[in-house]
Amino acid sequence: MQLAAVVLAAGKGTRMKSATVKVLHQVCGRAMIEHVLAAVQETGVQKTVLVIGQQGEQVMELLGSRVEYARQDEQLGTAHALMQTRPVLEGLADDVLVVCGDTPLLRPQTLAELCRRHKAGNNAATVLTAILNDPAGYGRVIRSTDGMVQKIVEQKDAAPDELAVQEVNTGVYCFRLPGLFEALAALQPNNAQGEYYLTDIIGYYADRGASVGAVAVDDPADVAGVNDRCQLAAAEKILRRRVLERVMLSGVTVLDPDNTYIDTTASIGMDTVIYPFTFVEGKSKIGENCIIGPASRLVDTDLGCRVTVQNSVVVGSSIGDGCNIGPFAYIRPGCVLGREVKVGDFVELKKAFLGDGTKVPHLSYVGDADVGKAVNIGAGTITCNYDGQKKSVTRIGDGAFIGSNTNLVAPLEVGTGAVTGAGSTITRDVPPGALGVARDKQKNIPDWSTRRKRPCAQNKSE
Ligand code: UD1
Ligand code: CA
């Protein structure tokens, strides 16, 4: 095997102040570690080993068998972490690419270029560096007067002149595998943190005359590490911008990229227009010529073409071509809408199938319902789907007309072309073509208002 990869992700992530492992924190809708793995795997590595620590189960739950694992039970430092891969990797590959799990902005091109230069230089180690205006927090790359990399010094161990160095270690390396574990075994934790630093291997090799290379990254933003929530927000912002640029360059209009949030995993078709304060999350897929927003949220939702969604939330549903959603609709998981369906203001849907051309224009709750084509559901209609113990289904046939403010007490079937009278509480099936009315007959009381007003006449004259 030519190239293996190791992702270090066993650190406690203390600075995140979180019950969740650091690398599972999300950036643009995807765990940091998934971003890193995607970049690593696109580099063409033949095997990836993830070093996990105490809460590693959380990570394994997410990634399953997509990678191999090595455990680091005690967090004794990055060199110690890499050492844990010895049983899985020793003798297996020519070189190993090492990255940290907390650098979600890494690009595959950058990793590929590092590996290429490592090979070309026939190096024992090649480190990816970045020149930063503000190098605070990173290890500094110390070069000799002739420009050769001598060592890496961590911020906490650096002398004042070393602190002034702006070239930093990105935590990404390519190592020649033969000899790597022997070198790691020789490192000592003689530093401010009492840890086995992987960075010390650079000095170790340089001291022994082994060839050490350094490749500076083009855009320092690519290698930003996330150690706390401020850096998480900074990474989110950079990645969000990248995603938006990709989306815009593929033919989508985004009115205000600073206020639009699209996950890396979402896809959007050509000539769709996104208004501000819109979130497109998870595996959402939007077709062409849609108008989305303002202020809308789509989560794991499929939209056809020519759909409009205004000020609405749609979760885990599928919306056909030409549908018109909102403003102020809430479509909960499990809904499937045909073509040209209208779901208007203050309508909530849950697990509802609405056939082509059906309209729920306003103020309704339709849940656990199977509604045919060209049905009109009047304002204020409620499917009473829950009796306190179980949920039941309401079926409405094609072309039915549900009068305003109908309560449809499920389980219930309203037949094809049937009608319900406004204000009815329908508890029994309505046969096809029939009118179902269930409300009191109207009674008019003559002169009621004049009689009622009499006692107040006095007040009026005051
Ligand atoms: C590290 C580098 C620093 C570099 C920076 C880049 C060292 C000593 N320092 O610092 O030079 O500028 O990354 O972002 O390597 N980890 C383990 N086991 C451990 C300790 C850490 O698996 O015992 C993992 C962490 O989960 C993390 C990565 O290694 O993914 C880096 O650890 P972190 O503590 O974030 O190191 P930095 O202080 O950022
Ligand atoms: Ca870090």
Side-chain angles (χ1 to χ4, degrees):
M1 187 184 299
Q2 285 180 332
L3 186 64
V6 172
V7 181
L8 304 180
K12 291 199 214 72
T14 321
R15 291 165 279 182
M16 291 299 282
K17 308 250 164 59
S18 176
T20 301
V21 182
K22 174 162 75 172
V23 296
L24 292 184
H25 281 261
Q26 298 212 332
V27 179
C28 291
R30 210 174 180 199
M32 259 196 267
I33 188 70
E34 294 215 64
H35 288 286
V36 173
L37 284 177
V40 164
Q41 279 161 0
E42 269 187 63
T43 313
V45 300
Q46 285 129 310
K47 185 199 241 340
T48 306
V49 184
L50 186 63
V51 183
I52 51 173
Q54 279 154 6
Q55 293 161 299
E57 290 67 32
Q58 288 179 23
V59 181
M60 290 172 81
E61 210 172 290
L62 176 73
L63 300 174
S65 57
R66 278 153 60 188
V67 292
E68 285 193 40
Y69 299 93
R71 271 204 172 271
Q72 184 194 25
D73 291 322
E74 267 186 296
Q75 277 59 61
L76 302 179
T78 42
H80 181 258
L82 182 55
M83 194 63 168
Q84 308 314 305
T85 65
R86 188 172 196 165
V88 216
L89 281 185
E90 188 149 54
L92 203 75
D94 301 338
D95 295 283
V96 59
L97 173 67
V98 177
V99 302
C100 295
D102 63 352
T103 45
L105 304 175
L106 278 176
R107 297 187 204 247
Q109 308 89 284
T110 312
L111 299 178
E113 177 63 8
L114 175 77
C115 296
R116 196 189 62 74
R117 298 270 288 272
H118 173 77
K119 268 293 177 208
N122 194 20
N123 296 336
T126 311
V127 54
L128 185 70
T129 72
I131 318 284
L132 302 184
N133 289 330
D134 177 13
Y138 291 91
R140 308 296 202 278
V141 176
I142 309 300
R143 292 174 183 265
S144 61
T145 41
D146 60 0
M148 299 297 282
V149 176
Q150 276 184 313
K151 60 175 177 176
I152 294 172
V153 191
E154 289 306 291
Q155 160 121 359
K156 288 184 178 152
D157 305 291
D161 59 324
E162 291 171 334
L163 282 177
V165 171
Q166 286 179 300
E167 185 176 16
V168 303
N169 170 27
T170 64
V172 179
Y173 321 80
C174 200
F175 296 112
R176 186 189 295 147
L177 194 56
L180 174 66
F181 294 113
E182 290 74 8
L184 287 173
L187 302 182
Q188 293 301 315
N190 300 326
N191 51 58
Q193 305 196 80
E195 287 185 1
Y196 293 92
Y197 286 168
L198 179 53
T199 45
D200 284 348
I201 201 168
I202 301 297
Y204 177 89
Y205 279 140
D207 287 350
R208 282 157 187 77
S211 81
V212 174
V215 175
V217 70
D218 292 331
D219 183 357
D222 290 3
V223 292
V226 173
N227 298 317
D228 57 35
R229 311 255 184 166
C230 298
Q231 290 172 326
L232 182 68
E236 171 91 25
K237 193 166 180 184
I238 295 168
L239 195 62
R240 189 190 307 148
R241 191 74 207 193
R242 270 194 208 166
V243 173
L244 282 161
E245 277 169 13
R246 168 166 59 74
V247 164
M248 290 188 283
L249 291 173
S250 73
V252 175
T253 296
V254 178
L255 265 76
D256 182 3
D258 289 338
N259 291 295
T260 303
Y261 306 82
I262 298 173
D263 283 355
T264 35
T265 39
S267 77
I268 306 179
M270 202 169 69
D271 288 325
T272 283
V273 178
I274 314 264
Y275 280 77
F277 307 111
T278 291
F279 295 76
V280 184
E281 300 179 27
K283 295 198 168 64
S284 292
K285 204 163 162 253
I286 300 176
E288 297 182 357
N289 292 299
C290 294
I291 301 178
I292 313 296
S296 294
R297 182 161 176 247
L298 306 178
V299 184
D300 296 325
T301 283
D302 259 21
L303 253 54
C305 299
R306 293 175 291 100
V307 175
T308 60
V309 179
Q310 269 189 77
N311 297 77
S312 293
V313 176
V314 188
V315 184
S317 292
S318 163
I319 313 291
D321 293 344
C323 286
N324 191 347
I325 312 296
F328 311 112
Y330 180 20
I331 301 185
R332 292 164 52 198
C335 292
V336 177
L337 276 53
R339 300 159 71 98
E340 318 284 339
V341 171
K342 176 172 176 60
V343 177
D345 48 284
F346 308 106
V347 170
E348 177 178 338
L349 304 183
K350 187 213 82 175
K351 232 197 242 177
F353 294 80
L354 306 187
D356 297 351
T358 284
K359 293 187 169 65
V360 194
H362 14 237
L363 299 157
S364 292
Y365 170 62
V366 179
D368 299 306
D370 192 343
V371 181
K373 295 179 184 163
V375 171
N376 191 87
I377 296 188
T381 295
I382 304 285
T383 52
C384 309
N385 59 332
Y386 186 47
D387 63 5
Q389 271 155 354
K390 63 177 191 320
K391 304 273 168 72
S392 301
V393 172
T394 302
R395 290 179 209 285
I396 302 176
D398 294 349
F401 185 95
I402 308 298
S404 294
N405 217 34
T406 299
N407 296 315
L408 299 164
V409 181
L412 184 70
E413 188 157 348
V414 177
T416 303
V419 176
T420 67
S424 293
T425 294
I426 304 291
T427 53
R428 286 184 293 130
D429 291 354
V430 183
L435 166 68
V437 200
R439 66 182 187 217
D440 261 358
K441 276 240 158 49
Q442 182 171 334
K443 181 165 79 182
N444 291 340
I445 302 170
D447 296 330
W448 188 83
S449 75
T450 26
R451 276 191 278 145
R452 189 189 62 147
K453 274 187 190 146
R454 233 167 258 152
C456 308
Q458 253 179 333
N459 297 349
K460 210 179 170 188
S461 62
E462 276 171 8

